[in-house]
Amino acid sequence: MIEIVRGEHDTGPPKQPRLPENLKHDLLASIVVFLVAVPLSLGVAFAAGAPLLSGLISAVVGGLVASLFGGSPLQVSGPSAALTVVLADTIATHGWPVTCAITVAAGLLQILFGLTRAARAALAVSPAIVHGLLAGIGVTLVLGQLHVVLGGSAQGSALANVVALPRQIAAHHDQAVLIGVVTLAVLIAWPRLPKTVRRVPAPLAAVALATGLSVLTGMSLPRVDLPAGLPELHIVPRLPDGGWGGFALAALTIALIAGLESLLSAVSVDKLRGGPRTDLDRELIGQGAANVAAGALGGFPVTGVIVRSMTNYEAGARTRLSAILHCVWILAACLLLTGVLRLIPLAALAALLVYVGMKLVNVHGLKEVRRHGDLPVYVVTLAGAVAVNLLTGVAAGVLLALALMLRRMIFSGIHVEREGERHRVVIEGALTFLSVPRLTRVLAGVPPHAEVTLELLVDYLDHAAFDCLRGWQQAHAGPVTVDEIGHPWFERGSSGEPTVRRSVAARVVPRWLAPWSQWQAEHVVLPAQRTASSLLCRGASEFQRRTAPLLRDTWSGLAHGQQPHTLFITCGDARIVPNLITTSGPGDLFTVRNIGNLVPPPDGDDSSVGAAIEYAVGVLGVAEIVVCGHSGCGAMKALLGRAPDGLEQLGSWLRHGEATLRRRAREAPVLLGGERPAAEADQLALQNVVQQLEILRAYPVVAAALERGALRLTGMYFDVGAAQVSLLDDAARGFVPAGAVEH
């Protein structure tokens, strides 16, 4: 979807003090856009079968109104190739005066859409439909204008153009063909020319060269038909005598297509320029006002045109003054350069439209659509737009997109895994009545007396699916165990209190985060199965089936060695899970665990911790050593005289904590979040972390790394009851929450 940033809107023309600063940029950009807009405006009107002057009227009047009242400061509006197909059909059906009235009605609809804040709803249309629609317009445009380039005339439909094209190619070709081929050749070759040459816009260069060639060689061929003097602007629209249904449908079609292109163009420019985003509802109102004004004066329908808007941005425009000035230059050209414009061959404009149509088939957009799995929507929209009409193509694309969305939302992954003689039926996703036929087919393939586990990873279970599972469980001859991961949809249904809405489903801790004993107690039904060994075996099985496939690539990269960034020294307490509280994974932490997270002195008789320190710092080259204490530590309670009797090894080990007791006697209390913990053992645990960091500095390998600036020592404390990690902060004279420490 296209990103909309709420609350950031362009508020109109820039304040006066910035005008001189931006004028130079806007002036140069307006000239570039003017040079692009004139041939495109004439070509679009020609392709639709509208009076050529209507294209220029829209470029001036519609472009000016949209620039003044629209929401996008760099948007450039005018006649668009995206409307040529629907306008050609509208003109052929209703005539030009009624088409102008349809343009006014379309503008009023756009204003209504903007006032009701419907702009964001329009952008909810799938990108596949948008790209397919534009591609359909491009294909239709190319098929029609190719006949003109080849010296003929376009047929009544895209299919008729396809049928007649071979005959047109084989027919006799006159001067118009040469002009069309020259125009196309220049347009295709222009992007490959040096940058200095490409400062001239490609459409202007192609039309100018083709026109110059036709004049110099004295060619006699159809050219642009404009009034010789100042045209008289008067109210053109006329309401139809009947056929109001067709009138309304045409107005709605033009309003939707013009509005959609305008919004897409505005958002595309927003992505490039940065800063405040366009007020899309205001932009839609401005485009509607432009269509009312243009239609009232006999002009072509107006949209925000992506090609001109991008040209405006790339030419350096700063404000909406650039778009306003480009309208002024077009008006001046109509008044002063009418004679020059009347020299342009119609074949050159047709070739320009062929090129524009080819560009509407966006190959990059097609690749994005395919990557997102929406290629069928793109193809259906394109085919419907070309074979029938644009609204049919859009409607077909919307219906297919809804069908695919529904399929993705209700699709359940159902398969059977064999574990020796056991069968595991795994069901994932939303399980609804639509999945019941497939579910029954899979369950029917399970042997009648097999031992089965139904593993449910569902995020929704409706009544029909529950009945199917429950009935099969009761009818199956062998034992059936239901293993639910996540919210207990099946269990609640079996107990007579089914969950009927996703919104009220309980948030469940994933099994790989919850304590194993907790989810085992919930999912192991028989008390005899709840032993330590069975818990670990089930946990290992859970890892092998679910976690290992996700992390296999990670462990594969670690198979030939480790490069941890941290030596993590913590207590052996079962409640402390280092990787969980530090959001780290395999290969990140070199962990040492003992009773009380103690570090014996380097000259002592216990070398196990010292060996780990030397290896981590001297061999592995860790960048950090963390000493992590915790609340409710049994070792700290033992140091305070509450050690169990008869544990000689524990008493021998705890002598390494005597330095912590001496520190407590001589130093001020260490604070936790600005306060002293209520429990005396927790106060000692804080002092203990600070003391172990001091002992670490006495190790020669640590001291050398600290002196080189290659190592950092960090004190950490985990409050088990609050699930709060705190870090030692010297400035705060204690431990502060991890989120409050600058890293």
Side-chain angles (χ1 to χ4, degrees), residues 46 145-151 173-188 206-207 209-211 213-214 219 221-222 344-355 358:
F46 170 68
Q145 295 307 304
L146 266 179
H147 284 277
V148 180
V149 171
L150 294 172
H173 301 302
D174 54 13
Q175 298 170 339
V177 178
L178 176 61
I179 293 301
V181 170
V182 168
T183 306
L184 272 175
V186 173
L187 288 168
I188 294 172
V207 172
L209 289 173
T211 301
L213 176 63
S214 68
M219 292 183 182
L221 69 173
I344 299 175
L346 295 182
L349 296 181
L352 175 60
L353 266 295
V354 169
Y355 181 76
M358 292 182 343

Side-chain angles (χ1 to χ4, degrees), residues 61-70 103-112 281-297 302:
V61 178
L64 183 61
V65 173
S67 299
L68 288 172
F69 299 104
T103 300
V104 174
L108 293 174
L109 283 175
Q110 287 179 302
I111 294 175
L112 178 63
D281 294 306
R282 175 182 165 183
E283 177 64 23
L284 205 52
I285 293 172
Q287 293 294 332
N291 274 317
V292 171
L297 296 176
V302 172

Side-chain angles (χ1 to χ4, degrees), residues 502-536:
R502 286 181 177 175
S503 59
V504 298
R507 296 180 63 185
V508 180
V509 178
R511 279 155 60 148
W512 50 88
L513 291 182
W516 283 5
S517 55
Q518 176 182 323
W519 67 261
Q520 292 289 353
E522 294 175 356
H523 295 282
V524 178
V525 180
L526 301 177
Q529 294 178 333
R530 294 175 183 167
T531 63
S533 61
S534 71
L535 290 179
L536 287 178

Side-chain angles (χ1 to χ4, degrees), residues 320-331:
R320 63 183 70 231
L321 182 62
S322 171
I324 294 172
L325 287 175
H326 115 280
C327 300
V328 175
W329 309 141
I330 296 176
L331 177 61

Side-chain angles (χ1 to χ4, degrees), residues 298-376:
F300 199 87
V302 172
T303 76
V305 187
I306 294 178
V307 173
R308 295 178 211 180
S309 301
M310 290 296 187
T311 301
N312 191 38
Y313 169 79
E314 292 168 357
R318 298 284 184 86
T319 71
R320 63 183 70 231
L321 182 62
S322 171
I324 294 172
L325 287 175
H326 115 280
C327 300
V328 175
W329 309 141
I330 296 176
L331 177 61
C334 293
L335 298 178
L336 304 177
L337 301 176
T338 305
V340 175
L341 297 178
R342 296 174 72 192
L343 296 175
I344 299 175
L346 295 182
L349 296 181
L352 175 60
L353 266 295
V354 169
Y355 181 76
V356 171
M358 292 182 343
K359 298 289 283 184
L360 286 175
V361 184
N362 188 333
V363 177
H364 176 72
L366 175 58
K367 291 179 179 178
E368 283 292 313
V369 167
R370 184 179 63 82
R371 278 196 288 266
H372 285 275
D374 288 335
L375 187 58

